[in-house]
Amino acid sequence: MLTKRIIACLDVKDGVVVKGTRFAGHQVVGEILELAQRYRDQGVDELIFYDITASPDGRRVSKKWVENVARVIDVPFCVAGGIRSVGDAKEILHSGADKISINSPALENPGLISELAAVFGNQCVVVGVDSKRQNDDFAVYRNTGSESKIQESGRRTLEWIAEAERLGAGEIVLNCMNQDGTGSGYDVEQLAQARAQLTIPLIASGGARKVDHFERVFRDAGVDGALAAGAFHRGELTIPDLKVELRKRGLEVRL
């Protein structure tokens, strides 16, 4: 059995970490370096940093705090935020990130996925997908870090993730917008459908608060990794306790 990854997500806005519910009402929850070091010390497998307003504001994530993070942690981390070119990606990777993630820029220019994969390798290219349930289907949204600029992209989730893989994405992070910040658990049904579309790793995002949520998404949706934000930030779950309990339940995680 392949090891399942536990990932902490840090949404960054104006240089601090924030958290909202269903991509709205963001409130400050801590400092970037403080939280990054906390999760490093707890044994997180990976970190993902989203500069949530970079794409809506038409700018790129600042390499300064990426460099600062790289100096103090020794676990893999991924960075997203307005990366629109090979040059942008090169700066962020050279600043210490192990992977870059593209979301709205990939929707604007799908060929960017192929360009990045050709230069840096598929393993460095993550495509983030913000997906909202609409009756029996799922729609992809863009510019989700801004309550005033968020909009439907016109793409359907399952079609888009399959296209992203074909274009060269090495991993998909599926952010289920209806679940985000609710603590009600992952959208296992949507994630299972996504898993059936893909051969590359799939990361679950949105709704985690309990050990049961992680166990179910690993078993029933077959995802390769699961991330949480608010539950970790607030201390409702700690990574060591989560991993120990998942091991007790027969899931292979790295202690």
Side-chain angles (χ1 to χ4, degrees), residues 6-11 17-19 29-49 72-77 228-240 243:
I6 303 299
I7 301 166
C9 176
L10 289 80
D11 291 337
V17 180
V18 299
K19 187 69 188 82
V29 295
E31 298 295 329
I32 297 171
L33 295 183
E34 175 189 348
L35 288 172
Q37 291 175 97
R38 177 199 299 178
Y39 300 136
R40 173 205 64 191
D41 293 346
Q42 288 187 1
V44 76
D45 296 312
E46 294 180 19
L47 294 167
I48 295 181
F49 297 87
V72 299
I73 68 171
D74 54 1
V75 296
F77 71 99
F232 291 156
H233 300 335
R234 294 186 295 267
E236 295 167 350
L237 274 178
T238 68
I239 292 164
K243 287 188 170 188

Side-chain angles (χ1 to χ4, degrees), residues 34-221:
E34 175 189 348
L35 288 172
Q37 291 175 97
R38 177 199 299 178
Y39 300 136
R40 173 205 64 191
D41 293 346
Q42 288 187 1
V44 76
D45 296 312
E46 294 180 19
L47 294 167
I48 295 181
F49 297 87
Y50 293 114
D51 185 328
I52 63 172
T53 58
S55 284
D57 291 347
R59 59 176 177 80
R60 193 203 65 202
V61 55
S62 168
K63 70 174 188 176
K64 182 175 180 180
W65 64 256
V66 177
E67 291 171 340
N68 291 338
V69 167
R71 291 190 186 101
V72 299
I73 68 171
D74 54 1
V75 296
F77 71 99
C78 178
V79 174
I83 296 170
R84 289 184 165 84
S85 68
V86 168
D88 287 343
K90 185 177 294 185
E91 279 214 45
I92 298 306
L93 291 169
H94 286 183
S95 297
D98 298 276
K99 304 176 187 176
I100 50 92
S101 178
I102 53 175
N103 188 327
S104 296
L107 291 164
E108 297 163 10
N109 174 22
L112 177 61
I113 301 171
S114 300
E115 292 176 28
L116 295 173
V119 175
F120 304 109
N122 303 65
Q123 77 284 349
C124 280
V125 182
V126 179
V127 172
V129 180
D130 296 330
S131 176
K132 182 178 285 188
R133 180 180 286 271
Q134 294 182 343
N135 298 318
D136 294 328
D137 202 359
F138 311 102
V140 180
Y141 278 70
R142 54 182 287 189
N143 293 330
T144 52
S146 168
E147 294 179 46
S148 64
K149 296 179 182 178
I150 184 174
Q151 59 183 198
E152 190 174 341
S153 70
R155 290 182 175 270
R156 315 317 291 173
T157 300
L158 299 180
E159 295 172 359
W160 173 231
I161 62 173
E163 181 179 352
E165 177 175 11
R166 179 181 61 80
L167 289 169
E171 185 167 279
I172 300 290
V173 176
L174 184 56
N175 306 304
C176 299
M177 297 175 67
N178 302 80
Q179 310 298 111
D180 177 72
T182 65
S184 59
Y186 297 101
D187 187 339
V188 173
E189 179 188 2
Q190 181 177 179
L191 288 156
Q193 291 184 47
R195 176 69 280 166
Q197 293 283 324
L198 300 169
T199 62
I200 58 176
L202 173 65
I203 307 302
S205 172
R209 181 171 288 170
K210 302 176 181 178
V211 176
D212 291 350
H213 297 157
F214 285 84
E215 180 183 15
R216 186 175 176 219
V217 80
F218 285 137
R219 292 195 189 281
D220 296 348

